[in-house]
Amino acid sequence: MRSQPPFLPVSLKEGKALGIDQFDIILVTGDAYVDHPSFGTALIGRVLWDAGFSVGIIAQPDWKTDRDVTALGKPRLFFGISSGNVDSMVNNLTPNLKRRSSDVYSPGGVPRRPDRATIVYANRVHGAYPDVPIVIGGIEASLRRFAHYDYWQDRVRQSILADAPATLLVYGMGERQMVEIARRLDVGEPARSLRDIRGTAYTLDIAEWRTARPEGIVEIPGFTEVSSDKAAYARAFTVHYREQDPVRGRPVVQPHPKTVIVQNPPPLPLTTAELDHIYELPFSRRAHPSYQKPVPALEPVQFSVVSHRGCFGSCSFCALTHHQGRIIQSRSIESIVREVTRMVAMPDFKGIVQDVGGPTANMYAMECGRWEKAGACPDKSCTPACKTLKTSHRRLTELMEKVSEVPGVKKVFVSSGIRYDLVLVDDPGSNYLSQLCDRHVSGHLKVAPEHASPKVTVAMNKPDVAVFDRFHDLFEELQQGKRKRQYLVPYFMSGHPGCTIGDMIELAEYIRDRQLYTEQVQDFTPTPMSVSTCMYYTGVNPFTHEPMYVPKDREKKIQRALMQYREPGNRTLVLEGLRIAGRSDLIGSGKKCLVAGDGHGDGVPSRSFVRRK
């Protein structure tokens, strides 16, 4: 087994210094190379190196020439290509389709990745080395593995496998898949024969599909049908969504005009021992020393710790169900303590553990007795009301205590968001929220109620706002007697399917009455493979077939402005929204008013909207 270097090589010179004449695998990424476990390329690279393979990294190549993609030569086994930690379209463009001026995953914040980076990189690599297998992965490939609605082009696009010259697509967290691919190619198996690996998708020729269909598959409406029929799109989404469980999921097939996409069942959850091993690999937690400017995305996570994977919240606007899954996979307390102990010895460590968490910080060590043998329930979400879901925070409070006791650690913070509904049903003996507020929150605690309107929270699959109110009151009780009080930082969302201007006014009044801060706001962006995106495109709830109101265009701007009605720059849009909704009672100087009048009286709506169906 090769010993792990301080950094994985990014040049032939660095490779030769390690005794490498030809890399086994070359990873291409749209991010700068940061050797940190929260950066996907570094994580996969370290895991492959640990498995005995030499790995070179090409970070943010110039996609307009072959120079960068050929800089490390031809790999012996395959190229692995990813857009980076984020979907390149989300990274490059705002919800209003304006191009972003910065990229936190680039040195100095300078944008360097192309739109649809995975396809662009794959085409460039394939042009230079047409005989080398290409494996695509990461969030962009993972969530575009079937035909999907593309917000930026306002149309349904083919699976990314139909557009990119790739042999395999790895979806979800890909450590196990990537190692198996490497090992099987290493012993001489043809790349096109690797069709039985969980957590991967591949293509079939039309002729083979017609004559030798795989057994046990679930076929969903094909690209031609879903791109022209929204009802078919909703049906296809519902079927593949329900096959995303690693225990009961079946292969899913979707025909395309020139190929057929086959998704194998999701990978089985990693064991605690496997997670421990991965996260204890010797990451330097620094950007590659060749960079002259810092990579902004590193600073807030440099000394953070991943405690678990997965999230059973199943929020409609989040695609995590398709990527990490609903089953919680937790590390051991001992492993996390060892990782923090190693961090303490690093020269840049100042005594602060910035975060201990995962997709939802307080789901650590939570489990359901059904998960191992039956998987997550296909017909309902995991909620605190379920009697088989174990929601105690005792293991989490023990974890935080043990990390805090590591010599050299001054403070341990929780920066990941928490699910407040789980806090309310916690085992009383754990004292989680009290411990959190006393020791692990600097001044602000992040929570995400998202909305106040009951029908909108139902569409979002979020708890009713009354649940947040109970949590808010409990949090305020814990502030009594504190020398320095803390504040909740609630995340709210505008423009979600099912949300009208009237619903946003309801949210604005709620924010006013509860005296909440609204710095953390988000305008809904339809990203691939979320339930909400299916709602946005089709105008229906894919599970109930219930029609959904879909705000678009200028109305989305008005909805966002209403959420931040205190901002002077939003005044014109807030006035417009209030008049459209017939809520001129909220215009003026009264205590309940959201905005001052403009001297034109209540008037009539300055604009009207046609509801899109």
Side-chain angles (χ1 to χ4, degrees):
M1 184 179 294
R2 296 177 182 273
S3 61
Q4 296 264 4
F7 288 90
L8 302 181
V10 299
S11 67
L12 286 174
K13 180 180 179 181
E14 291 180 12
K16 290 185 182 301
L18 296 170
I20 300 167
D21 294 320
Q22 181 185 24
F23 291 103
D24 295 324
I25 300 154
I26 295 175
L27 302 180
V28 181
T29 175
D31 294 338
Y33 170 39
V34 177
D35 191 53
H36 189 283
S38 69
F39 286 70
T41 297
L43 190 70
I44 293 296
R46 288 285 185 190
V47 167
L48 287 168
W49 197 285
D50 180 67
F53 300 98
S54 60
V55 180
I57 291 180
I58 299 174
Q60 300 186 306
D62 180 352
W63 68 91
K64 298 175 183 177
T65 74
D66 287 344
R67 181 191 62 206
D68 289 349
V69 298
T70 59
L72 299 186
K74 179 179 178 179
R76 186 173 65 88
L77 299 178
F78 66 91
F79 277 98
I81 296 177
S82 164
S83 72
N85 270 15
V86 292
D87 185 293
S88 60
M89 301 305 292
V90 175
N91 189 79
N92 291 353
L93 296 164
T94 69
N96 289 327
L97 304 181
K98 294 181 179 179
R99 191 156 293 278
R100 299 185 194 273
S101 59
S102 62
D103 182 347
V104 296
Y105 291 95
S106 290
V110 178
R112 295 183 182 180
R113 85 184 76 213
D115 292 349
R116 311 189 193 286
T118 304
I119 296 173
V120 172
Y121 293 153
N123 279 321
R124 180 58 65 183
V125 167
H126 183 68
Y129 301 105
D131 59 330
V132 177
I134 292 175
V135 179
I136 58 176
I139 195 75
E140 182 167 279
S142 180
L143 300 184
R144 294 174 182 266
R145 58 188 184 265
F146 293 115
H148 55 279
Y149 172 71
D150 185 272
Y151 172 65
W152 299 270
Q153 290 185 330
D154 192 24
R155 68 177 178 89
V156 176
R157 287 182 62 97
Q158 298 187 113
S159 162
I160 195 170
L161 270 174
D163 289 334
T167 309
L168 286 172
L169 181 153
V170 167
Y171 70 89
M173 306 298 284
E175 297 95 347
R176 191 182 279 149
Q177 301 96 297
M178 292 292 279
V179 170
E180 183 172 353
I181 291 167
R183 286 176 173 163
R184 290 172 64 171
L185 291 177
D186 189 42
V187 297
E189 287 192 50
R192 297 295 300 181
S193 70
L194 304 183
R195 293 179 171 180
D196 59 343
I197 300 174
R198 281 178 166 266
T200 65
Y202 61 93
T203 58
L204 279 180
D205 293 335
I206 297 291
E208 184 178 359
W209 166 246
R210 289 172 177 166
T211 59
R213 298 189 179 197
E215 294 183 1
I217 61 169
V218 177
E219 182 177 352
I220 60 176
F223 172 77
T224 301
E225 190 176 358
V226 301
S227 61
S228 59
D229 181 347
K230 292 182 178 181
Y233 186 100
R235 289 199 307 274
F237 180 86
T238 301
V239 173
H240 72 67
Y241 183 92
R242 288 174 173 161
E243 298 298 335
Q244 298 313 306
D245 186 85
V247 179
R248 54 179 171 74
R250 296 169 292 178
V252 179
V253 174
Q254 185 177 52
H256 281 55
K258 296 183 179 180
T259 191
V260 176
I261 308 301
V262 183
Q263 175 204 275
N264 287 322
L268 295 174
L270 293 180
T271 66
T272 293
E274 287 173 319
L275 276 179
D276 288 350
H277 182 76
I278 288 169
Y279 285 102
E280 289 189 68
L281 293 173
F283 297 95
S284 66
R285 294 180 177 265
R286 292 183 290 132
H288 191 273
S290 63
Y291 297 129
Q292 300 300 308
K293 295 182 178 180
V295 179
L298 173 62
E299 191 275 331
V301 301
Q302 185 173 12
F303 295 110
S304 64
V305 178
V306 173
S307 58
H308 63 285
R309 291 180 178 176
C311 178
F312 52 76
S314 301
C315 299
S316 298
F317 48 80
C318 177
L320 199 69
T321 296
H322 282 82
H323 195 64
Q324 288 193 16
R326 290 164 59 187
I327 296 175
I328 304 302
Q329 305 155 67
S330 299
R331 295 174 60 191
S332 69
I333 292 175
E334 295 76 15
S335 171
I336 293 171
V337 167
R338 288 193 296 268
E339 182 181 356
V340 172
T341 301
R342 184 172 175 270
M343 280 170 27
V344 168
M346 294 181 175
D348 296 334
F349 185 73
K350 306 300 182 184
I352 307 298
V353 178
Q354 294 163 296
D355 186 28
V356 178
T360 300
N362 61 323
M363 286 186 185
Y364 174 76
M366 291 188 179
E367 58 186 0
C368 170
R370 290 178 48 89
W371 284 348
E372 185 175 356
K373 293 184 178 180
C377 294
D379 56 346
K380 58 184 177 180
S381 298
C382 301
T383 71
C386 179
K387 294 181 180 179
T388 61
L389 182 65
K390 298 177 182 178
T391 58
S392 173
H393 290 63
R394 284 179 181 265
R395 285 280 289 166
L396 179 53
T397 54
E398 180 185 356
L399 166 65
M400 300 303 288
E401 289 170 359
K402 294 293 186 182
V403 172
S404 299
E405 293 169 358
V406 173
V409 171
K410 299 176 183 177
K411 202 74 177 176
V412 181
F413 289 126
V414 174
S415 301
S416 303
I418 67 167
R419 281 289 292 228
Y420 50 85
D421 54 337
L422 294 173
V423 174
L424 294 176
V425 297
D426 185 20
D427 178 351
S430 80
N431 296 316
Y432 171 71
L433 186 59
S434 177
Q435 182 201 65
L436 187 69
C437 291
D438 288 344
R439 302 174 62 183
H440 307 301
V441 176
S442 58
H444 299 88
L445 177 63
K446 297 177 184 177
V447 289
E450 303 295 358
H451 218 282
S453 167
K455 69 183 182 66
V456 179
T457 54
V458 167
M460 293 176 165
N461 200 33
K462 294 289 292 186
D464 187 87
V465 72
V467 180
F468 175 67
D469 287 340
R470 292 200 299 273
F471 174 80
H472 191 185
D473 293 342
L474 181 59
F475 177 84
E476 290 299 321
E477 287 177 16
L478 291 172
Q479 302 309 307
Q480 302 300 317
K482 285 186 179 291
R483 292 175 56 189
K484 185 177 180 180
R485 71 154 292 143
Q486 297 158 330
Y487 298 90
L488 287 182
V489 179
Y491 286 74
F492 291 110
M493 182 180 291
S494 64
H496 189 274
C499 182
T500 65
I501 287 179
D503 295 318
M504 288 309 298
I505 293 172
E506 183 178 348
L507 175 57
E509 291 187 281
Y510 176 81
I511 290 169
R512 175 201 65 199
D513 295 341
R514 295 290 291 193
Q515 298 180 326
L516 296 172
Y517 294 88
T518 53
E519 287 87 349
Q520 302 294 331
V521 300
Q522 181 181 354
D523 186 18
F524 170 68
T525 303
T527 53
M529 252 188 196
S530 75
V531 176
S532 300
T533 298
C534 184
M535 293 176 179
Y536 180 90
Y537 173 60
T538 65
V540 300
N541 182 315
F543 306 124
T544 66
H545 308 294
E546 166 189 20
M548 304 292 296
Y549 177 75
V550 179
K552 294 189 177 182
D553 305 322
R554 184 171 177 81
E555 184 178 358
K556 281 175 67 69
K557 295 180 181 179
I558 291 174
Q559 288 203 17
R560 183 182 176 95
L562 282 163
M563 190 161 47
Q564 294 180 299
Y565 66 89
R566 298 185 183 104
E567 296 294 325
N570 290 334
R571 182 168 170 272
T572 299
L573 288 170
V574 172
L575 281 168
E576 187 174 341
L578 292 174
R579 288 174 177 151
I580 288 168
R583 293 300 307 274
S584 54
D585 58 301
L586 298 176
I587 302 172
S589 57
K591 289 184 178 180
K592 293 291 187 179
C593 290
L594 299 181
V595 66
D598 58 3
H600 297 297
D602 294 341
V604 294
S606 56
R607 264 177 213 266
S608 60
F609 297 100
V610 177
R611 294 195 176 193
R612 300 192 177 195
K613 295 184 177 180

